[in-house]
Amino acid sequence: MSHPTKKRSFGLLAAFLAGSVAIAGCGNGNNGNNGNEASGSPSPSVSASPSASPAESPSVAAEPYELKWLKAQDISVPFDPAKDVVKQAIENKLNVKISPEMVDVQQYKTKLNLKMSSGDIPDVVRIDFADDFQKYAPLGAFVDLTDLINEKDTPNIMREVPKEVFEQAKVNGKIYGIPYQGGPGAGYRWDLVMRTDYLQEISADVPQTLDEYYEALKKIKAAKPGVIPLGGYTAQIGQVKYANNSFDNVFGAFGVTPGFFTENDGKFSNYDIDPRMKEALLFLQKMYKEGLIDKEFATIKEEQLRAKLFSGKLFSWMGWWSTANDYDTQVETNELIKAKKLGADDKLADQSNDPFKYLTLTGSMVGSDGTAVAPMGAPFSQMTAISAKTKDPKKVLAIIEESLSPENQMLTVWGIEGEDYSLENGKMTVATDLLDPKTKQDKNGNYRGVQSYLFAPGLKGWPRYLESLPLRFSQALDVAINNKFQITDASNYLDSPTKVAKLVELNTMRDSVFTQIIMGGDISKFDEFVEKWKSQGGNQILSELEESFKVKAGR
């Protein structure tokens, strides 16, 4: 998965066991059809205000409700929906008949747009919010759900999607679909990582405040002159690095984060021009002058950073959540080689289910007021909408609502209990050896579409997702996604042509100026930057966002 830059849009992204595609959100765990399900689809046959129990036998329910589903499929992987036992289990449980129309995943968007243009819209469709959904919704393509989604009639949906997210998803003040992210949802995905053994050497607890962190860095510098107290941030090999990402925790403790727009009572601004950003830069400048920050933070390449990290020359850094497992293993490998307990070319076995041995992961450092900000991705990227031509929109909404019960989500996400996964002593274990790697079928010749027929928006995360991961991945993601100081960019889902045209230029100017200041430049450069930011497109962006905000709210 690609690691976001400061303007993080995590699709979430289910970063380890599930893959993502451009249209479909997250992929499968052990299913045979790549799990690239693009058109969201539904669940049980109940009234618009569902009262039937999820466990109610389909034999006493009404005739199964047929749902047409445009399903994105990796055509290079064997799959036959008629032989998919998970699909059959979902149909039986929810008293629904899913009629999938298979389309190659690479052609999904083209096919969907053709259907939208011709009026042949599937009963339930998952569609990109950013462009297509906002184009089609005002034209009457989807059912207006504004008066149908509420705490009384759709409690499962409301549990999954907060009211404020529905507000962001409105088009002309109306709700035309259910926001969908896929996988474990959007959120903060970074940890502050420190060497546990180095903390122990200076007799320090894991810092919780910026002041405690600063004192720990100074002690590390004094006790271990060859170690850099604060390095850069870990990324993918070859990724363009934005140096200011290295200091999320410092910026956050001052209540700002580079690049994010803010909104207060309809008025917009940006943290880049916030006076608190100036204070944060002065603090970073002080840290840099005292030798607490890697002198190469602005230019170091990822391979060089990893070499420092693995060899023990870094005490702390910002890390993408999924990197900690490998880094801990690499540090252990180097330590064993130095102690001559491991050959230079020897490799350790998989450590992912072992506790971390050398690394400590923690969340945001808080500032003097006890708070912080942690920049999370956009809360959704797609919408699950009901076709205006479907025969019974209220029943379809009820199906979606019923599918989002905790019990039914276990089925749609993880498959059949006792087969695709098991629960022992309250712990979930996902089966990984059911399918033949060539045929993608189980021993009975069945396909198993786990995470292939999902109804869940995924904004709250797949149920028991952390349990599905190896220990280290689970712990690292847990720290990141449960950071209580997460905030979103207020400009998400708003229209601003100037933002599209000018934001890259403004961000490049910001990164250059901020880096200069951190490395000792005159702080007056910040005031000059603010004026240039405003005059070179920033003020126009703010004005356009405010107007778009009014239109979206239907004001």
Side-chain angles (χ1 to χ4, degrees):
M1 126 185 276
S2 62
H3 298 177
T5 57
K6 174 51 71 178
K7 182 64 177 177
R8 296 184 180 91
S9 295
F10 301 98
L12 220 320
L13 232 274
F16 177 60
L17 294 180
S20 63
V21 294
I23 298 297
C26 283
N28 62 326
N30 65 331
N31 69 332
N33 64 313
N34 201 36
N36 295 322
E37 62 98 20
S39 69
S41 189
S43 52
S45 179
V46 289
S47 66
S49 179
S51 58
S53 166
E56 184 178 16
S57 170
S59 63
V60 299
E63 189 73 15
Y65 191 92
E66 181 175 0
L67 283 161
K68 295 180 181 179
W69 186 318
L70 187 65
K71 178 169 172 45
Q73 175 69 28
D74 181 354
I75 61 174
S76 68
V77 178
F79 177 66
D80 180 356
K83 296 181 179 179
D84 184 348
V85 292
V86 174
K87 171 180 172 288
Q88 294 167 11
I90 291 170
E91 290 176 324
N92 291 335
K93 185 71 178 295
L94 303 177
N95 197 30
V96 59
K97 177 178 174 54
I98 299 172
S99 298
E101 179 181 347
M102 316 302 285
V103 57
D104 180 61
V105 64
Q106 301 299 327
Q107 300 299 317
Y108 175 81
K109 187 170 182 176
T110 300
K111 181 72 171 180
L112 178 60
N113 282 332
L114 287 173
K115 284 185 169 292
M116 297 295 296
S117 299
S118 67
D120 182 23
I121 308 172
D123 292 299
V124 178
V125 60
R126 188 165 299 157
I127 187 169
D128 286 341
F129 180 83
D131 41 38
D132 295 332
F133 182 83
Q134 294 183 92
K135 176 175 67 177
Y136 290 120
L139 302 179
F142 310 125
V143 175
D144 181 352
L145 304 175
T146 309
D147 297 327
L148 301 178
I149 293 179
N150 53 69
E151 296 285 358
K152 177 179 179 294
D153 296 323
T154 56
N156 290 328
I157 293 175
M158 294 302 296
R159 184 188 65 249
E160 289 289 326
V161 184
K163 290 180 180 179
E164 58 269 23
V165 174
F166 269 119
E167 287 297 317
Q168 291 178 300
K170 284 183 176 179
V171 176
N172 295 337
K174 300 288 187 179
I175 296 174
Y176 290 102
I178 303 168
Y180 182 89
Q181 182 63 43
Y188 194 57
R189 291 294 184 268
W190 299 77
D191 297 318
L192 176 61
V193 188
M194 293 170 278
R195 283 287 295 263
T196 306
D197 49 340
Y198 293 178
L199 276 173
Q200 293 170 344
E201 287 183 38
I202 62 172
S203 301
D205 294 327
V206 178
Q208 303 298 315
T209 70
L210 181 58
D211 287 342
E212 292 172 353
Y213 180 51
Y214 172 65
E215 291 301 320
L217 297 183
K218 290 197 297 183
K219 289 181 179 179
I220 288 292
K221 179 172 175 57
K224 303 181 75 66
V227 172
I228 300 168
L230 172 57
Y233 76 99
T234 55
Q236 285 186 328
I237 297 292
Q239 177 191 350
V240 176
K241 296 176 75 71
Y242 290 83
N244 298 306
N245 287 145
S246 302
F247 311 122
D248 263 1
N249 264 279
V250 177
F251 286 125
F254 281 88
V256 294
T257 188
F260 270 39
F261 287 87
T262 63
E263 179 270 325
N264 183 23
D265 197 25
K267 299 298 292 182
F268 279 72
S269 187
N270 189 290
Y271 281 129
D272 288 351
I273 61 174
D274 192 301
R276 292 171 295 178
M277 183 64 75
K278 187 175 184 178
E279 297 176 31
L281 290 170
L282 281 171
F283 188 81
L284 285 165
Q285 186 182 79
K286 172 185 175 183
M287 292 174 65
Y288 184 86
K289 185 177 181 180
E290 294 175 355
L292 303 181
I293 295 173
D294 188 353
K295 298 298 183 184
E296 299 180 306
F297 82 88
T299 58
I300 192 169
K301 296 186 180 298
E302 181 63 21
E303 298 92 328
Q304 297 168 318
L305 175 62
R306 294 189 188 193
K308 289 182 180 182
L309 190 162
F310 298 158
S311 64
K313 293 181 180 179
L314 292 184
F315 164 64
S316 66
W317 61 91
M318 290 301 299
W320 182 250
W321 72 272
S322 62
T323 62
N325 167 62
D326 180 58
Y327 293 167
D328 196 288
T329 298
Q330 292 292 340
V331 170
E332 181 182 8
T333 299
N334 274 14
E335 293 294 331
L336 291 173
I337 290 174
K338 284 190 291 185
K340 299 188 183 304
K341 296 180 179 179
L342 193 69
D345 297 323
D346 292 341
K347 304 292 183 183
L348 292 176
D350 178 25
Q351 308 287 307
S352 60
N353 273 309
D354 296 337
F356 285 107
K357 299 175 183 177
Y358 285 89
L359 304 183
T360 291
L361 284 63
T362 190
S364 294
M365 302 290 102
V366 300
S368 57
D369 61 354
T371 65
V373 298
M376 64 181 286
F380 65 94
S381 58
Q382 300 158 16
M383 297 290 285
T384 297
I386 299 173
S387 169
K389 293 190 175 183
T390 196
K391 61 182 180 181
D392 192 340
K394 288 186 176 181
K395 176 162 281 193
V396 174
L397 179 63
I399 289 171
I400 296 173
E401 161 66 18
E402 189 72 7
S403 77
L404 295 179
S405 73
E407 178 184 357
N408 288 334
Q409 284 196 57
M410 287 299 293
L411 174 59
T412 60
V413 172
W414 299 118
I416 301 170
E417 183 177 356
E419 298 179 27
D420 298 289
Y421 73 92
S422 59
L423 293 174
E424 296 182 17
N425 299 320
K427 171 70 174 177
M428 184 181 77
T429 302
V430 177
T432 59
D433 57 355
L434 288 181
L435 303 181
D436 182 290
K438 292 183 179 180
T439 66
K440 302 301 180 183
Q441 292 172 284
D442 62 21
K443 62 182 180 180
N444 297 316
N446 297 314
Y447 295 96
R448 311 193 70 89
V450 174
Q451 298 165 17
S452 184
Y453 293 91
L454 292 179
F455 312 114
L459 300 188
K460 295 287 188 181
W462 290 346
R464 310 187 82 131
Y465 178 72
L466 291 178
E467 291 182 45
S468 73
L469 301 175
L471 177 63
R472 287 185 180 178
F473 288 94
S474 176
Q475 290 177 341
L477 184 58
D478 184 47
V479 170
I481 65 177
N482 287 313
N483 187 316
K484 64 181 179 180
F485 299 111
Q486 298 179 70
I487 62 165
T488 58
D489 187 332
S491 69
N492 287 333
Y493 317 118
L494 298 179
D495 294 324
S496 169
T498 307
K499 180 184 172 188
V500 174
K502 302 289 290 186
L503 192 61
V504 171
E505 177 184 329
L506 293 176
N507 287 348
T508 300
M509 177 172 62
R510 174 202 67 211
D511 287 334
S512 175
V513 172
F514 286 12
T515 299
Q516 291 176 47
I517 293 173
I518 292 169
M519 299 179 73
D522 194 318
I523 193 60
S524 64
K525 290 179 179 292
F526 178 78
D527 299 315
E528 295 170 4
F529 160 74
V530 170
E531 292 307 312
K532 289 181 179 179
W533 189 94
K534 292 178 178 179
S535 64
Q536 294 181 16
N539 278 345
Q540 183 63 28
I541 293 173
L542 299 180
S543 177
E544 290 170 359
L545 291 176
E546 289 167 7
E547 183 60 32
S548 179
F549 183 79
K550 292 178 183 177
V551 172
K552 179 176 284 293
R555 297 176 183 175

